[in-house]
Amino acid sequence: MARLYGLVLGLTMALGGAQAERRALVVGIDNYAPAAFEARLATLGHFDRVRAEGRGFNRLEGAVQDAQAVARALRARYGLRDVRLLLDEAATRAALLGALDRLLADSQPGDTAVFYFAGHGSQITNLSRPAGDRLEQTLVPADAWRGAVEALPAPVDVRDKALAERYNAALDRGVELLVIV
C-alpha cells in the first residue's frame, strides 16, 4: 500500500495541473514461464536445459494486479483517456518497445507521457564496455525465455541504453516523461 501511495503522490505532482495531452503505457508481467517455454525445455539436452533454467524467471504475484490498479487510477483520478495496457504474454519485447515508441511518438511538446513497468528487472554483462562496471540494467519482457532456449544473437531483455535513447529523444522534443519501474 505504501508503494501505491508513493505512486499516487508522484503522479499528483507530475500530472496535477497539466492542460496538455496526457497518455500512458502500463505494463504488468506475472507469467514468465509460459507453456511454450516448458515445452521447449523438454526438448533440450541436460546442459542446455540447466543453462536455460538458470535464465528463467520466477512467476510474480501482483505485477498484473498493480498494473491494472495504476491504469484505473490514471483513468479515474487523473482523467487520462489514452492508457495502453500490456499484460503477461502480450508484453513481449517487440510489443513493449513498439508500444513505448508509439506512446512517445504520439506525445507532442508539452504533453505528459507516463511509462509504468511492473515485472522483473535484471542485469546483463556487456564485455564491450571498458573495465569496471560492465553490467547493464534491463527490463525483462514476457518473452525473455526465448533468449534462453533459442540461438539468439543477444538477450531478449530491454537494455537501459535502448530505453535511454527513446526517453532522451522525447525529452529533447519537449515531452514531459514520468517513468515508474
Side-chain angles (χ1 to χ4, degrees):
M1 191 61 158
R3 188 169 118 195
L4 187 56
Y5 177 77
L7 169 67
V8 171
L9 178 61
L11 287 173
T12 300
M13 291 175 6
L15 302 177
Q19 298 299 315
E21 290 293 318
R22 299 174 296 178
R23 56 187 52 85
L25 171 60
V26 179
V27 179
I29 308 169
D30 282 336
N31 188 11
Y32 279 94
F37 176 64
E38 298 299 332
R40 193 67 189 269
L41 275 179
T43 68
L44 298 176
H46 174 72
F47 292 110
D48 287 336
R49 188 173 47 254
V50 169
R51 181 184 58 80
E53 287 172 343
R55 181 62 185 143
F57 290 91
N58 295 333
R59 176 177 172 76
L60 295 175
E61 298 294 333
V64 167
Q65 185 177 356
D66 287 350
Q68 291 169 329
V70 167
R72 280 192 304 274
L74 289 170
R75 288 182 185 114
R77 177 150 185 158
Y78 299 102
L80 274 72
R81 291 173 298 195
D82 186 357
V83 178
R84 305 157 195 189
L85 195 58
L86 281 177
L87 301 175
D88 275 337
E89 287 84 5
T92 64
R93 182 180 201 280
L96 192 155
L97 289 175
L100 182 59
D101 287 343
R102 281 189 303 282
L103 171 77
L104 297 176
D106 291 347
S107 299
Q108 303 303 312
D111 288 355
T112 299
V114 179
F115 174 54
Y116 175 88
F117 180 85
H120 278 296
S122 188
Q123 294 179 324
I124 295 176
T125 303
N126 182 347
L127 297 177
S128 66
R129 292 176 72 179
D133 183 16
R134 292 186 168 173
L135 294 178
E136 290 188 25
Q137 316 315 308
T138 68
L139 299 182
V140 181
D143 62 341
W145 62 271
R146 289 181 48 240
V149 297
E150 297 176 8
L152 299 176
V156 177
D157 294 22
V158 179
R159 295 175 184 233
D160 57 356
K161 304 298 182 274
L163 293 169
E165 288 173 8
R166 287 166 166 83
Y167 298 159
N168 289 334
L171 292 169
D172 289 346
R173 290 188 300 109
V175 175
E176 299 292 328
L177 183 60
L178 176 60
V179 177
I180 306 164
V181 294

